[in-house]
Every structure is written in structure tokens, then in C-alpha cells.
Amino acid sequence: MLIKTKKEIPSSELTPESVYRQRREFLKSSANIALGAGVLSSGLISPTALAQTDGLRSRAPEDINLASKPAWLLDKVRNRANAPGSGPYTTTESLTPFEDATNYNNFFEFGNGKGDPASRAREFRIDPWSVEIAGEVNKPGRYNLEDILQPHTLGERIYRLRCVEAFSMVVPWIGFPLADLINRFEPNSNARFIEFETLYDPEQMPGQAARTSSLGWPYREGLRMDEAMHPLTILAVGMYGDILPAQNGAPLRLVVPWKYGFKSIKSIVRINFRQDMPNTAWNDYASGEYGFYANVNPEVSHPRWSQSSERRLPSGLFDRRIDTQMFNGYTDEVAHLYAGMDLRVDF
Ligand SMILES: Nc1nc2c(c(=O)[nH]1)N[C@H]1C(S)=C(S)[C@@H](COP(=O)(O)O)O[C@H]1N2
Ligand SMILES: [Mo]
């Protein structure tokens, strides 16, 4: 059966139209003020970036779903070192509007509907937060988020995100290379894979308690060590100029732009260095449909739909369908990682 995307909830149903309009007008004017005041005159921003003010401004506090927003994290993210979009591997494609990227989400811990994460994660708690570093490393331990992030300089990366369900977005992330974190904790020579785990907390995450939930919890993902060390692979703590909203994986998530979105695991609490390939949530659920590698590949169909094209958000009156690119357009950077592999077998 071919899954049609028409069942998906249009973003207009998620936010009442009037609220949405007012907010956009407010944000537009505040973005203009901020730009006029300093950033524009400093010459840091290209005309392309300027046209994409959505990526630059900080949010009004009520626009970020979270029970509380730690001041140190807000400061760190808002004061990121490089100019917007100036990092390596950026793109000039139009950004997906903030409202779409934050109201059309897959985060099954909060439910199966695309609007569930935005509506059910409003009071998600990220303070305190800690991450356990485990397995084949010289410096294992449980570290609080502030210590995890402390030495890292944040930068902005504008990446395409291609979901295995064949919708896609362009998102300005704020984060740092995963490789920098890996090096700090000194994996030993047994470490060939890295495994990530999301928070397990059914009290906060109703999808984990639901009888209808399909995935096993906690959500798990993994990468081969060379994929994890690749400079495109980042840990993100922010997007659109501000900290991550709960529905996008606050406070810390992975972003691996050449792989289907499900590899980019959200709200990470554990990073485990391993000798063997880890089990992963979607592969455990349906190994014939979701592989460990999950590289974006227009030539290898999902058993139930083609992967040759994608619907680029925002959704409007008409779907915008574009061709899907091999490795989501990052072939020059990553193809060498898979030299000699049959990507139909290792999908
Ligand atoms: N823990 C966890 N991480 C997750 C998911 C999830 O359900 N749980 N969904 C994945 C999928 S399928 C996609 S497409 C992306 C979506 O990220 P976004 O909501 O920020 O666009 O998150 C990925 N990370
Ligand atoms: Mo996805």
C-alpha cells in the first residue's frame, strides 16, 4: 500500500489562524529591529541570510515549549560564536518556517500524530539534565548538561532534514560537531560504534505509556564510529537562533543530515561506546523497512512507498514535491564512508 501524505495534519489546524498571524507579524517586526540595530550594519549577514530572518531571531519565551529555560543555556545558544549560516556545509535553500518545523514533528514519545509533540510537550523539563557517557571510553561517567556543553563553541548549520516518510525541511540548527565531544571522552580502540538513548519518562512522555505505542522504549539510535566522527554530524542544542523546543528534542539531540530523520535522535540521556553494532528503535520495530544505515537513497524504495521524491515543508495549498538527492545532497562529503558497500543490502 502506498501511504498518502494527505492524512497528515495541515499546520493551519495546529495553531489557530489568528494567533499564528499575530505572532508572525510580531516576530517580523522584532526581527527587523534586531537586524537594523546591529547585525546588519556589522556586515556579517549575506543578503540570502537576510531574506531568511526566521533563522536569525530569538523567540518570544512563550514560543518555546519547555517547563523552564535555563538562563545559562539561553545565553550560550543566543551568543553562539559564528554568524548565522556562516558555518561549513550551509545551504541557500529557503528555510522551513519556524512554525512548520515546530508544529509538524515526529517524536513518538509524545504521541503518533504530527501535532502531538507540540501540544503535549509544553511542560517538558530539561533542568536538571544529565548525560551518561558509557562503554569503551577512558572517561565514563554521568555529566550534567552544563559540563557536557561547557568546552564547546556553538555554530549554526543550515541542513536539509529528510524524513523516511518522504517529507523534508531546511532547518538552521545550532550545535557543535559530535566528533569534538567524542574526542573529549577518549574512546579506546574497542569502540567501533556509538549508541544513543533518549530519556525514558512515561510520566512526561505519554507515548511511552500508551498501549498503542509501537516502538520499544527508550528510543535508541546508533552510528558507526566513522559516521559519528564525520564533520557533518552534530549535536544540536538550538534551532532558529534559540534553544530547542521540547518537540524538537530539547535539550540535546543528534543531527545526521545525510540519513533519514529517524537517525537524528532527540533528548539524549546516554551515549554508549560499543564494539558491536547497537540495536536501534526503528530497526527493532521493522527490520525490513528501516535499516541501521538509513542513508537517504532515492533508488532504494521503502517496501510501501517510493523514496525518489519528497514533499518540502511548508505545506501550502499545493504540495511542493522535489526530487530526493542521494545522501540528501551530501554525496561529496560522505560517499567515501560507504565505498564497496551494497547500499541495497545495507539500507
Ligand atoms: N527520541 C526520538 N527521536 C526522534 C524521533 C522520535 O520519535 N523519538 N523521531 C525521529 C524522526 S522519524 C524524525 S523525522 C526527526 C524529526 O525531527 P524534528 O521534529 O526536529 O523535525 O526526529 C527523529 N528523532
Ligand atoms: Mo522521520
Side-chain angles (χ1 to χ4, degrees):
M1 186 187 73
L2 185 75
I3 301 278
K4 284 281 184 199
T5 52
K6 294 294 178 200
K7 278 184 301 189
E8 291 162 355
I9 309 162
S11 57
S12 59
E13 276 178 30
L14 304 171
T15 315
E17 184 66 15
S18 57
V19 177
Y20 175 88
R21 284 246 175 86
Q22 279 167 17
R23 203 196 291 157
R24 286 205 64 89
E25 286 315 308
F26 168 75
L27 290 169
K28 258 192 240 156
S29 52
S30 49
N32 289 340
I33 293 162
L35 283 169
V39 194
L40 180 57
S41 56
S42 73
L44 282 174
I45 295 175
S46 69
T48 330
L50 184 58
Q52 304 199 36
T53 48
D54 252 1
L56 309 182
R57 52 183 155 70
S58 302
R59 301 291 123 191
E62 62 273 19
D63 278 339
I64 303 169
N65 277 349
L66 283 175
S68 63
K69 293 140 204 171
W72 68 267
L73 185 60
L74 280 173
D75 284 353
K76 187 172 174 93
V77 171
R78 291 178 174 176
N79 298 332
R80 66 192 186 280
N82 62 348
S86 67
Y89 315 116
T90 191
T91 170
T92 55
E93 286 165 86
S94 300
L95 300 184
T96 297
F98 176 80
E99 280 74 11
D100 296 82
T102 57
N103 286 289
Y104 192 89
N105 301 99
N106 278 332
F107 199 166
F108 293 91
E109 285 85 339
F110 291 100
N112 295 341
K114 297 287 185 275
D116 289 343
S119 63
R120 295 183 180 170
R122 291 212 169 96
E123 295 301 316
F124 189 60
R125 296 188 294 274
I126 60 162
D127 194 13
W129 192 273
S130 63
V131 179
E132 185 193 351
I133 307 285
E136 304 286 352
V137 275
N138 294 337
K139 297 178 176 170
R142 178 170 286 285
Y143 300 87
N144 65 42
L145 185 64
E146 200 161 359
D147 295 331
I148 288 280
L149 300 181
Q150 198 279 326
H152 299 290
T153 302
L154 304 179
E156 181 163 85
R157 295 279 181 90
I158 302 179
Y159 282 162
R160 291 174 288 279
L161 176 90
R162 195 339 183 139
C163 177
V164 73
E165 295 167 44
F167 66 83
S168 67
M169 317 187 212
V170 178
V171 179
W173 302 107
I174 297 167
F176 60 94
L178 174 63
D180 293 351
L181 177 132
I182 292 174
N183 289 333
R184 261 173 80 202
F185 293 101
E186 301 174 11
N188 64 40
S189 58
N190 290 330
R192 294 179 51 235
F193 292 90
I194 183 167
E195 175 184 37
F196 303 87
E197 253 176 57
T198 295
L199 179 70
Y200 178 72
D201 186 354
E203 254 176 51
Q204 290 203 78
M205 296 173 144
Q208 290 177 332
R211 284 168 173 266
T212 53
S213 90
S214 38
L215 292 172
W217 311 111
Y219 193 103
R220 285 201 175 79
E221 259 308 333
L223 295 171
R224 222 169 51 189
M225 197 54 78
D226 58 345
E227 299 176 317
M229 292 295 291
H230 192 282
L232 274 170
T233 305
I234 60 168
L235 284 172
V237 290
M239 63 195 288
Y240 297 86
D242 219 322
I243 63 173
L244 290 173
Q247 64 267 38
N248 295 91
L252 180 72
R253 69 165 305 163
L254 187 68
V255 182
V256 195
W258 72 94
K259 294 178 178 285
Y260 291 121
F262 67 82
K263 298 295 288 184
S264 293
I265 182 174
K266 296 174 170 179
S267 305
I268 295 167
V269 294
R270 187 163 189 266
I271 300 177
N272 184 27
F273 294 82
R274 302 170 52 125
Q275 199 156 10
D276 55 332
M277 186 181 273
N279 284 28
T280 58
W282 283 100
N283 188 249
D284 283 351
Y285 170 65
S287 59
E289 301 186 15
Y290 310 101
F292 174 82
Y293 287 96
N295 293 313
V296 174
N297 189 339
E299 284 156 28
V300 176
S301 298
H302 185 277
R304 289 180 282 122
W305 60 87
S306 163
Q307 295 290 26
S308 66
S309 71
E310 64 202 52
R311 182 172 53 91
R312 175 61 59 85
L313 298 183
S315 6
L317 218 43
F318 302 100
D319 284 352
R320 194 152 76 88
R321 286 259 22 134
I322 57 175
D323 287 345
T324 290
Q325 304 176 70
M326 187 66 203
F327 296 115
N328 204 22
Y330 302 98
T331 295
D332 289 350
E333 289 84 7
V334 303
H336 69 274
L337 297 174
Y338 310 102
M341 282 173 61
D342 182 345
L343 298 180
R344 286 180 184 278
V345 178
D346 286 317
F347 60 93

